[in-house]
Amino acid sequence: MTYDLYIGDRLFSSWSLRGWLMFECFGLPVRTHMVGLYSETMARDMAELAPARLVPALRLPDGTVVGETLAIAETLTERHPEAGLWPADPAMRATARWLCAEMVAGFSALRGECPMQLAHVWRGFSASQAVRDDIARIEALWAHARNLSGSTQGPLFGEFSLADVFYTPVAARIVGFGLPVSEENRAYCLSLLSRDEVKRWRAEGLGITYDPFPYPQDLPTDPWPVG
C-alpha cells in the first residue's frame, strides 16, 4: 500500500515539506510527484487531482484525493494508528493538534515576510514588529507544550510527533532569517533541521538551479548551518 504525494520545489515549499515529513519520519510508504510551482505547469500538473489545487496533495491507494496538510495528517492517523503520529497522552495529543491548527491558520506576517528557503541564511534581516509578535506567540506555544509534557529539549511532547513536523518549516524560517528566539528554542530549531529526513530533502532541493532565485532579499548570506 503506497501513497502518492504531490509536492512543490523542495527549497521553498514549506507545506510540501510538512506533507513529506509525515511519511518519511513515520515510515509510511510514499511516491512523490513534482508539481511545477515556478515553471508555470502547476495547473496542468494538478489537473488530475481536481478539485485539489495546492501542494501537498495526497492520493490514497484507492484513488481518493486529500488536500490540506491537517486533513492529510488526520487521514494518515486513522489509517496508521500504530505509527504514533500524535502523542499518546490525550492531553498532549489535544494540545499538539491545537498547535498544528494554529500554525496552519496563523502567523501570516512570518509566512509573508519570511518565505521559507533552505539554500542559505540571510544576514542582517530586520524583522518587523508583526513578525516579532508571531515569533513571541510561537515561543509561548512551545513553552506551553513543554510545560505540559515536561520535555526540556528535543521534541515538544517528548517523542517526535506531528507537532514537530508542522513546525519544522517554521524552524527553517527562524534559522534562515536569523529571527530572535531564546537559545533553547534556537537549539530546538536546529535539532529539527538536523534530522536526516530534512537534510535529505534539502540536498535534493539543492540539485535544482533557479535564475532568478525566488523570494530574493537585498542582503548578504551565510552558509546554511546544518549540512
Side-chain angles (χ1 to χ4, degrees):
M1 179 177 62
T2 300
Y3 298 90
D4 288 286
L5 184 70
Y6 291 74
I7 61 172
D9 297 64
R10 288 174 169 84
L11 288 186
F12 309 102
S13 182
S14 58
W15 299 99
S16 296
L17 174 56
R18 287 186 185 92
W20 185 80
L21 288 176
M22 294 183 204
F23 292 89
E24 293 298 315
C25 292
F26 296 96
L28 304 180
V30 68
R31 286 184 294 261
T32 57
H33 306 267
M34 288 297 300
V35 170
L37 293 183
Y38 304 102
S39 59
E40 300 182 356
T41 64
M42 184 172 182
R44 184 184 70 206
D45 296 341
M46 296 286 292
E48 63 183 286
L49 304 173
R53 61 189 180 90
L54 300 173
V55 289
L58 177 66
R59 179 183 285 123
L60 306 184
D62 67 2
T64 300
V65 174
V66 183
E68 300 294 337
T69 51
L70 276 177
I72 293 170
E74 293 299 351
T75 298
L76 294 178
T77 298
E78 289 179 350
R79 295 171 67 89
H80 301 278
E82 76 291 345
L85 281 82
W86 293 114
D89 176 81
M92 290 194 287
R93 185 165 62 250
T95 304
R97 284 185 163 118
W98 165 20
L99 264 63
C100 291
E102 185 159 340
M103 197 293 308
V104 169
F107 313 134
S108 59
L110 175 65
R111 187 175 294 124
E113 297 179 37
C114 304
M116 190 190 84
Q117 58 80 31
L118 303 176
H120 46 246
V121 173
W122 297 113
R123 189 192 328 143
F125 179 78
S126 180
S128 70
Q129 186 58 53
V131 169
R132 289 175 178 271
D133 290 345
D134 279 353
I135 292 296
R137 177 59 180 170
I138 289 165
E139 291 200 281
L141 291 172
W142 289 356
H144 177 65
R146 293 192 184 284
N147 287 337
L148 183 63
S149 67
S151 174
T152 58
Q153 58 185 356
L156 293 173
F157 294 94
E159 298 291 333
F160 190 83
S161 75
L162 286 175
D164 305 292
V165 165
F166 271 67
Y167 278 89
T168 295
V170 172
R173 285 180 161 96
I174 290 171
V175 170
F177 284 83
L179 300 177
V181 294
S182 70
E183 286 301 315
E184 293 79 7
N185 283 333
R186 178 171 171 79
Y188 170 58
C189 290
L190 290 173
S191 74
L192 293 177
L193 301 178
S194 296
R195 289 186 64 92
D196 288 342
E197 299 90 351
V198 178
K199 290 193 288 186
R200 188 165 71 252
W201 171 274
R202 178 175 179 267
E204 293 184 20
L206 289 172
I208 301 175
T209 300
Y210 296 88
D211 185 18
F213 187 83
Y215 317 116
Q217 299 280 330
D218 188 19
L219 293 169
T221 63
D222 287 324
W224 191 253
V226 178

